[in-house]
């Protein structure tokens, strides 16, 4: 005998105008069915005018079999599906009785529209099989009925739910499958006795995996669950029953978090009693491991949901206890009965993977052609030029001259200089290290056996590495090999770069080598987390080497964030915001120290060893040279090679590339052209401003900022703009004359290369002419006696006294066997006020050279300082007099033992007992900042590591940025022609073999 059916329809308006429409459609589907339910209850959660109009008498057709009409119950707006169904099923109706009086319960929502035969088929299947607990139909999208929403749900051994057919095209390929572990909760027809025994749906699941949980509980009671694949129910994904469609990124993240919370709840409710506490305690560590995995998989949007689900699962102890009682009360079969219906982790991972189908509107990405397009030959050619320009570097163990200094002897020493604590220079002063010290540590770690040698190798590889970076950065602008080679040559032969190489300015070299890769990654940072994370690390390294670029970097990043917001890409905005995070975090300690010292200008100071040339006063002539693209009045070696050289001679060699760059804004890709011209303006403004800002001190000399960093940024704006103009000129030629290569644009590129080679000739021949500042650098800036005595340990201190040209005496303290490139601290060297440590150092230095009191030497011994070095002073009469008087005073001290004259100056050793260097505790805040810095860098590295999925996504986007619709159509047509040609070539018959020919 057929059983009675009670249909429960849950309605939650949520302010959506479609709720009333969907409700009318669902009720009309019930009324038009071949079999109508015997009772219908509408559980309305919240109020909405449109829904209220639909509930007016006569507005809805009667969906019941006996014409009794629908029953409406009112619930709160936040009532979830499980609670709404329980209220409709268990609360008495106006005629007495409850939903439990019915034999079958049909669980529906406002957006579920069954086909006319749906109820008849579902009820018939239950009536024919008494062991069935409930039966579930095939859910399809109402707007796209050919697409399956759900047809069976299973889970892994760890409780992760797996949709077996969600998103598949419905071709009847799964209609033969009926026995599955569970199903979606929407439109299931469940026996009233089963629903009554289980007391409904577990409310702790929060709309996620409710059908799976109900099916598992029913199976443990001894019942079965079946599918009705030929019964279709259309759903619209409103999210009233089950989870909504993942049509937006935020909704997708919400769905993932809900399912994860449901999985953890299932694990805790079904765990063995002896394993419950260990599993509960392991949840935070499991969340940490999954966080790392999500970073590796380039999906950081899941991290917040992962931790929210973990915390929720851990604190809902009452819900866990209720769920365990529910299973324990009714379970009559072992868990092994459902083991065969679970799925493997590999299948779960395959089903959970996002589809990587190719977007038909996307432009296929072509091959890079690094070897075939001349990129490899360009790098080899620049390597040969580097060997010819700096031949002696092959035999040098370290570099000296300019702002170059040796590195620590060990990798541990390199990273110790990059950590918070006692500074390697100064009167036992603690503080944060410059971020540049970490950059130096990374470079030195590449050659751990002799870190100073790494700097020599960097200098030798600088020209080919610069050409490589310029070539790759140009791939964001053009796909023509000759133009990419032009960009590589132009970047390698930049005047600022050659000045930094020949004058020994490591910060300038590092910025020039990293900037093109920052352009390469930053141009597409809005597309994916891989380039965004790579750009964040590169930006941190660039700003660490050249803090003066921070304002320009902030403006460029702000423009990128605005562009992503205009495209209404929330993920793009998040990725662009992340680009700044590592830079902010690594500069946080230095920024705090400078702001606490009321010296914000100190944040712009150049790190590393001081650049002596910057102590000169910047006059109008120097600023003119800088505005023309030369970081000094030497004109990249032209003024040294030709005396009384007119300014316009080297500047004229920049005219071709400057004209091409200025024309970039007039091309069809004018937004890209304007962006490059903006870089030119920002770079030149930064460089000119740098000549007027003195933020650092070297003894009595105030040092202005290095203008080369801004000129490096401006140079890429010129190079990128010129390449863009040449690319557009070549496209116009190909479109008009139907030629595969533009002769005019190629000729213009050759002219640019020739003029740049001529411009670079004086700098590239500086070594042969003896005009370079590079020297066979010593392994130590202190006497060899000090180096041998310290053994590389920074516990030994040396006070260095230097006579200045104005007759003053400069004093500094060096710890260890040498000053090193990463040991300098801009926090100490940009101080504008005398602190206690500086006053004590000055007083001790003055006492050493002006009296015979033993208190001065005793103060040195108490601080752990074992040596006094009187370095060669300035070449001035007042300095010579002061140096002789100081040497005489030091010789007269009984507590100083003269070691003798060395190439670094006169050395004395303290004869009294040397105390250990006072230790400085790292405050809790400093430790927390270091942990935060390490965590951010690790996160960025994990995000930057490419995976197979990230590469597949990247191939769906063109490598070139900012293509116009016409260019996209042209490139797409060319790609199709090449593909068709390749297919035709494969279809051609091959030459017959000897046997076939006979």
């Amino acid at each position: 005998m057929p059983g009675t059916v009670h249909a429960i329809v849950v309605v939650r308006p949520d302010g959506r105008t479609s709720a009333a429409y969907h409700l009318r459609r669902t009720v009309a589907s019930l009324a038009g069915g071949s079999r109508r339910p015997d009772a219908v209850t509408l559980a309305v959660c919240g109020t909405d005018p449109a829904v209220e109009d639909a509930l007016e008498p006569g507005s809805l057709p009667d969906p019941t079999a006996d014409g009794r009409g629908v029953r409406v119950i009112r619930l709160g707006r936040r009532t979830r599906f499980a609670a709404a169904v329980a209220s409709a099923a268990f609360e008495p109706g106006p005629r007495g009785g409850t939903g439990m009086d019915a034999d079958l319960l049909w669980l529906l929502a406002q957006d579920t529209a069954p086909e006319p035969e749906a109820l008849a088929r579902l009820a018939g299947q239950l009536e024919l099989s008494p062991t069935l607990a409930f039966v579930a139909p095939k859910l399809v999208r109402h707007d796209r009925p050919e697409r399956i929403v759900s047809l069976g749900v299973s889970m892994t051994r760890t409780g992760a739910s797996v949709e077996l057919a969600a998103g598949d095209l419905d071709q009847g390929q799964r209609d033969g499958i009926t026995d599955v572990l569970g199903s979606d909760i929407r439109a299931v027809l469940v026996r009233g006795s089963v629903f009554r025994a289980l007391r409904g749906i577990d409310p702790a699941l929060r709309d996620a995996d409710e059908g799976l949980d109900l099916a598992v509980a029913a199976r443990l009671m001894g019942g079965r669950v079946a599918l009705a694949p030929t019964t279709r129910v259309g759903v619209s994904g409103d999210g009233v029953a089950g989870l909504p469609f993942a049509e937006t990124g935020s909704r997708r993240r919400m769905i993932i978090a809900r399912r994860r919370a449901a999985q953890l709840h299932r694990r805790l409710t079904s765990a063995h009693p002896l394993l419950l506490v260990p599993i509960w305690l392991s949840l935070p560590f499991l969340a940490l491991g999954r966080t790392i995995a999500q970073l590796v998989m380039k999906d950081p949007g899941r991290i917040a949901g992962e931790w929210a689900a973990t915390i929720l699962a851990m604190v809902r102890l009452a819900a866990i206890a209720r769920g365990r009682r529910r299973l324990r009360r009714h379970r009559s079969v072992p868990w092994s009965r459902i083991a065969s219906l679970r799925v493997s982790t590999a299948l779960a991972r395959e089903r959970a993977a996002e589809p990587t189908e190719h977007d038909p509107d996307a432009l296929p990405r072509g091959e890079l052609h690094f070897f075939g397009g001349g990129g490899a030959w360009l790098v080899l050619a620049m390597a040969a030029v580097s060997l010819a320009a700096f031949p002696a570097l092959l035999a040098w163990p370290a570099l000296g001259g300019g702002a170059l200094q040796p590195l620590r002897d060990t990798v541990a020493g390199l990273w110790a200089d990059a950590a918070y604590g006692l500074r390697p220079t100064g009167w036992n002063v603690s503080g944060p290290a410059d971020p540049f010290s970490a950059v130096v540590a990374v470079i030195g770690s590449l050659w751990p056996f002799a870190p100073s040698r790494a700097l020599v190798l960097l200098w030798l590889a600088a020209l080919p590495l610069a050409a490589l970076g310029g070539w790759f950065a140009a791939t964001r602008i053009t796909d023509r090999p000759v133009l990419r080679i032009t960009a590589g040559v132009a970047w390698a032969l930049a005047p600022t770069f050659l000045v930094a190489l020949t004058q020994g300015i490591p910060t300038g070299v590092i910025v020039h080598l990293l900037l093109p890769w920052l352009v390469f990654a930053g141009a597409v940072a809005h597309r994916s987390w891989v380039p965004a994370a790579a750009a964040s690390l590169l930006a941190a390294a660039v700003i660490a080497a050249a803090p003066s670029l921070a304002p320009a970097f902030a403006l460029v990043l702000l423009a990128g964030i605005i562009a992503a917001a205009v495209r209404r890409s929330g993920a793009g905005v998040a990725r662009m915001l992340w680009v700044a995070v590592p830079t902010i975090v690594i500069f946080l300690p230095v920024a705090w120290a400078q702001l606490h010292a009321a010296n914000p200008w100190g944040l712009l100071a150049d790190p590393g060893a001081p650049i002596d040339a910057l102590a000169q006063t910047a006059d109008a002539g120097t600023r003119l040279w800088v505005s023309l693209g030369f970081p000094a009045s030497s004109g990249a070696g032209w003024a040294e090679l030709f005396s009384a050289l007119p300014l316009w001679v080297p500047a004229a060699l920049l005219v071709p590339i400057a004209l091409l760059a200025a024309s970039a804004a007039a091309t069809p890709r004018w937004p890209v052209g304007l962006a490059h011209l903006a870089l030119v303006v920002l770079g030149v403004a930064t460089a000119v401003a740098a000549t007027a800002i003195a933020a650092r001190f070297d003894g009595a000399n105030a040092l202005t900022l290095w203008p080369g960093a801004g000129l490096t940024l401006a140079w890429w704006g010129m190079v990128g703009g010129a390449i863009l103009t040449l690319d557009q000129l070549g496209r116009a030629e190909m479109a008009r004359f139907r030629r595969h290569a533009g002769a005019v644009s190629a000729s213009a590129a050759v002219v640019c290369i020739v003029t740049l080679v001529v411009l670079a000739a004086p700098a590239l021949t500086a070594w042969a002419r003896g005009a370079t500042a590079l020297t066979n650098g010593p392994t130590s800036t202190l006497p060899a006696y000090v180096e041998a005595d310290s053994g590389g340990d920074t516990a030994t201190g040396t006070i260095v006294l230097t006579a200045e040209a104005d007759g003053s005496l400069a004093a500094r303290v060096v710890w260890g066997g040498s000053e090193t490139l990463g040991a300098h601290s801009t926090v100490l060297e940009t101080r504008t006020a005398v602190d206690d440590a500086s006053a004590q150092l000055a007083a001790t230095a003055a006492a050493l050279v002006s009296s015979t009191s033993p208190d001065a030497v005793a103060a040195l011994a108490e601080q752990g300082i074992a040596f006094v070095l009187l370095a060669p002073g300035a070449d001035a009469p007042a300095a010579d007099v002061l140096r002789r008087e100081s040497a005489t005073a030091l010789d007269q001290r009984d507590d100083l033992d003269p070691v003798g004259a060395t190439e670094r100056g006169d050395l004395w050793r303290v004869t009294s007992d040397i105390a250990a260097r006072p230790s400085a505790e790292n405050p809790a805040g400093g430790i927390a900042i270091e942990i935060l810095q390490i965590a951010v860098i690790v996160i960025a590295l994990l995000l930057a590591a490419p995976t197979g999925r990230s590469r597949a996504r990247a191939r769906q986007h063109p490598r070139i940025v900012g293509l116009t619709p016409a260019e996209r159509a042209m490139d797409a047509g060319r790609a199709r022609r090449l593909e068709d040609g390749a297919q035709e070539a494969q279809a051609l018959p091959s030459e017959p073999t000897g046997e076939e020919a006979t």
Side-chain angles (χ1 to χ4, degrees):
M1 176 181 178
T4 58
V5 178
H6 182 191
I8 299 175
V9 183
V10 180
V11 183
R12 186 185 304 121
D14 282 344
R16 290 188 289 259
T17 58
S18 62
Y21 170 74
H22 288 168
L23 173 61
R24 294 177 187 273
R25 186 180 65 193
T26 298
V27 175
S29 299
L30 295 178
S34 61
R35 176 177 177 177
R36 296 187 179 185
D38 299 285
V40 176
T41 298
L42 300 182
V44 182
C45 307
T47 59
D48 181 80
V51 173
E52 297 301 324
D53 292 341
L55 296 177
E56 290 292 331
S59 297
L60 295 175
D62 189 353
T64 60
D66 57 1
R68 70 174 62 183
V70 298
R71 177 171 69 112
V72 179
I73 63 174
R74 304 287 182 174
L75 301 171
R77 183 173 61 88
R78 297 183 179 275
T79 306
R80 296 192 178 275
F81 184 77
V85 169
S87 298
F90 298 125
E91 290 182 3
R95 300 181 183 177
T98 66
M100 288 293 92
D101 296 335
D103 297 317
L104 306 174
L105 292 177
W106 201 10
L107 309 184
L108 301 171
Q110 68 194 29
D111 63 333
T112 50
E115 290 183 343
E117 300 294 330
L119 180 56
R121 292 175 180 174
L122 293 175
Q125 195 164 342
L126 280 174
E127 291 163 359
L128 291 175
S129 180
T131 60
L132 275 180
F134 71 78
V135 63
K138 177 192 295 182
L139 301 182
V140 297
R141 289 186 67 108
H142 190 272
D143 55 344
R144 297 169 60 188
E146 74 282 357
R147 191 65 67 177
I148 298 175
V149 173
S150 180
L151 184 60
V153 181
S154 185
M155 67 178 180
T156 64
R157 291 186 60 84
T158 59
S161 62
V162 181
E163 286 280 358
L164 300 179
D168 292 354
L169 191 64
D170 187 10
Q171 297 175 326
Q173 72 274 24
R174 297 182 181 271
D175 287 356
I177 302 175
T178 59
D179 193 18
V180 295
L181 180 59
S183 70
D184 195 291
I185 195 62
R186 287 170 285 189
V188 300
L189 188 63
V190 59
R191 293 190 186 275
S193 58
V194 175
F195 201 79
R196 184 185 308 110
L198 296 176
R199 300 301 298 173
I201 304 168
D202 190 349
L205 297 174
R206 303 175 68 212
D207 301 333
D209 302 338
E210 292 173 329
L212 175 63
D213 180 77
L214 191 65
V216 170
R219 285 186 176 277
L220 293 177
M221 289 176 60
R224 291 193 308 110
V225 176
L227 295 178
T230 59
T231 304
R232 292 155 53 97
V233 174
V235 296
S236 300
D238 285 359
V240 177
L243 294 170
F245 290 160
E247 296 176 344
T248 62
S250 59
R251 185 172 290 182
R252 169 181 166 270
R253 290 188 290 272
M254 181 270 291
I255 291 172
I256 293 172
R258 292 274 185 87
R259 286 180 173 165
R260 179 59 178 167
Q263 176 190 358
L264 295 177
H265 179 73
R266 276 195 301 276
R267 291 190 66 183
L268 293 172
T269 55
S270 61
H272 191 279
L274 297 179
L275 298 178
L276 178 60
V277 174
I279 291 177
W280 186 84
L281 294 175
S282 68
L283 291 183
F285 303 98
L286 183 62
L288 180 60
R290 288 174 61 89
T291 296
I292 297 174
Q294 287 154 359
L295 291 174
V296 173
M297 298 304 295
K298 314 299 174 289
D299 203 354
R302 296 189 178 192
I303 295 176
E306 176 69 33
W307 284 99
T310 300
I311 296 172
L312 184 64
M314 295 185 70
V315 300
R316 292 194 304 180
L317 301 180
I320 295 172
R322 184 172 58 249
R324 293 181 66 86
R325 285 196 304 268
R326 176 170 175 259
L327 289 179
R328 184 175 62 253
R329 183 183 302 118
H330 302 290
R331 193 180 69 165
S332 59
V333 298
W335 282 94
S336 58
R337 288 282 295 273
I338 67 172
S340 61
L341 297 175
R342 290 172 174 163
V343 297
S344 63
T345 305
L347 178 61
R349 190 180 298 112
E350 178 183 347
R351 294 300 306 175
E354 293 184 4
T356 56
E357 299 177 2
H358 181 70
D359 184 0
D361 297 329
L363 181 63
R365 172 172 292 191
E367 296 294 332
L368 189 60
H369 298 300
F370 176 69
F371 293 95
W377 291 107
L378 171 64
V379 173
L380 289 175
M382 283 299 169
V385 172
S386 179
L387 291 175
F390 307 105
L393 267 62
L394 291 172
W396 286 0
L399 278 179
L404 289 166
Q405 287 182 343
L407 275 59
R408 293 291 181 193
D409 295 334
T410 62
V411 174
L414 290 172
W415 289 103
D417 287 348
Y420 188 100
L422 288 170
R423 295 295 87 215
T425 59
W427 187 267
N428 286 321
V429 180
S430 297
D434 288 342
F436 181 68
S437 299
V439 176
V440 173
V442 171
I443 295 174
S445 299
L446 298 177
W447 198 265
F449 309 104
S452 294
R453 179 69 174 170
L455 209 57
V456 180
L457 297 177
L458 176 66
W459 233 255
L460 272 174
L463 283 173
L465 288 178
L468 179 66
W471 191 93
F472 267 93
T475 61
R476 298 299 185 196
I477 302 175
T478 181
D479 57 359
R480 294 183 59 191
V482 65
L483 300 186
R484 293 178 177 180
I485 292 174
T486 303
V489 172
W491 190 251
L493 300 183
T496 302
F497 183 51
L498 296 179
V499 170
L501 282 176
T502 56
Q503 301 305 313
I505 303 176
T507 54
V509 172
I510 292 171
V511 168
H512 197 87
L513 293 180
L514 295 180
L515 190 61
W517 296 103
L518 177 57
V519 172
F520 179 77
V524 294
H526 62 283
R527 294 180 181 174
S528 170
W529 280 105
V530 173
S536 69
L537 292 172
L538 291 167
V542 169
I543 303 302
S548 59
L549 287 178
F553 168 73
L555 291 176
V556 173
L557 183 60
L558 179 61
I561 294 173
I562 293 175
V566 169
R567 288 191 292 265
R568 296 183 179 180
S569 173
V573 172
R575 295 179 186 120
M576 295 302 296
L577 288 172
W578 171 262
V579 173
V581 171
T583 302
I584 293 173
V585 171
I586 67 171
F587 269 92
L588 192 59
V590 175
W592 174 261
Q594 294 286 23
L595 294 177
H596 187 264
N599 184 27
W601 289 106
L603 289 171
L604 300 177
D606 295 308
I611 304 173
D612 295 335
L614 299 180
Q616 301 174 359
T617 302
D619 54 11
T622 302
R623 292 194 179 94
L624 183 58
W625 277 99
V626 169
S627 63
L628 291 175
F630 299 95
S633 57
S634 61
W638 280 81
E640 299 169 353
L641 185 60
F642 303 101
S643 58
L645 178 74
L647 178 65
W648 57 267
V649 175
L653 297 174
L654 296 175
V655 170
I657 192 172
L659 290 177
L660 290 172
S663 304
T667 63
R669 289 166 61 190
W670 57 268
V672 180
L674 284 178
H676 283 89
L677 291 181
L679 292 182
V680 174
V681 173
L682 282 176
V684 173
T686 300
V688 173
T691 62
I693 298 175
R696 185 176 177 181
F697 301 94
D698 181 22
N701 299 320
L703 305 180
T704 58
L705 302 181
W706 163 246
L711 293 180
T712 298
L713 179 64
W715 185 254
W716 174 252
M718 289 184 61
V719 173
I723 297 303
L724 176 62
T725 301
L726 292 174
D727 177 76
Q728 295 298 290
L729 181 59
R731 286 179 179 268
E733 290 181 79
M734 288 186 286
R736 182 169 183 177
F737 302 109
R738 305 295 181 185
R739 293 183 299 196
H740 292 290
V744 175
S745 59
S747 301
V750 171
V751 171
C752 288
I753 292 176
V754 171
T755 55
L756 291 176
V757 170
V758 174
L759 180 64
L764 293 177
T765 59
W767 179 271
R769 296 183 290 105
T772 177
L774 299 178
T775 62
N776 186 357
T779 59
S780 173
T781 60
L782 298 178
Y785 186 91
V786 177
E787 182 183 10
D789 185 80
S790 66
D793 186 7
T794 57
T796 301
T798 302
I799 183 170
V800 182
L801 307 177
T802 306
E804 300 290 341
D806 59 357
S808 62
L809 186 69
R812 68 183 189 277
V813 178
V814 179
W815 297 92
S818 173
E819 288 184 287
T820 59
L821 188 61
H824 293 270
S825 172
T826 55
V827 174
L828 302 180
E829 297 173 6
T830 59
R831 290 175 298 184
T832 57
V834 179
D835 54 12
D836 294 340
S838 299
Q840 187 176 2
L841 175 60
T844 302
L848 281 173
V849 299
S850 61
S851 69
T852 59
S853 173
D855 294 340
V857 178
L860 296 179
E862 291 175 358
Q863 295 295 321
I865 298 175
F867 296 96
V868 178
L869 176 65
L870 186 60
D875 187 12
D880 292 339
V881 172
L882 178 60
R883 190 179 187 282
R884 288 194 298 268
E885 293 176 350
S886 300
T888 302
L890 293 172
D891 283 334
Q892 293 177 352
R893 288 187 170 275
D894 296 334
D895 42 12
L896 289 179
D897 185 13
V899 177
T902 69
E903 60 180 3
R904 305 296 176 195
D906 297 334
L907 181 66
W908 287 263
R909 183 174 61 85
V910 178
T911 58
S912 57
D913 294 334
I914 307 299
R917 185 183 185 187
S919 60
E921 295 183 359
N922 194 347
I927 297 175
I929 289 296
E930 288 183 350
I931 294 175
L932 176 63
Q933 290 174 334
I934 295 173
V936 168
I937 297 301
V938 170
I939 291 172
L941 289 173
L942 292 175
L943 288 174
T947 61
R949 185 186 302 180
S950 67
R951 287 192 292 266
R953 292 176 184 172
R955 283 192 291 268
Q956 296 187 12
H957 298 280
R959 184 175 287 107
I960 300 174
V961 176
L963 288 172
T964 63
E967 289 175 323
R968 296 177 67 90
M970 180 187 299
D971 290 350
R974 183 171 56 183
R976 284 192 297 269
R977 289 192 298 272
L978 291 175
E979 183 178 357
D980 294 341
Q983 293 176 354
E984 292 177 1
Q986 293 177 358
L988 291 175
S990 59
E991 294 185 5
T993 61
E995 295 179 358
E996 293 173 345
T998 57

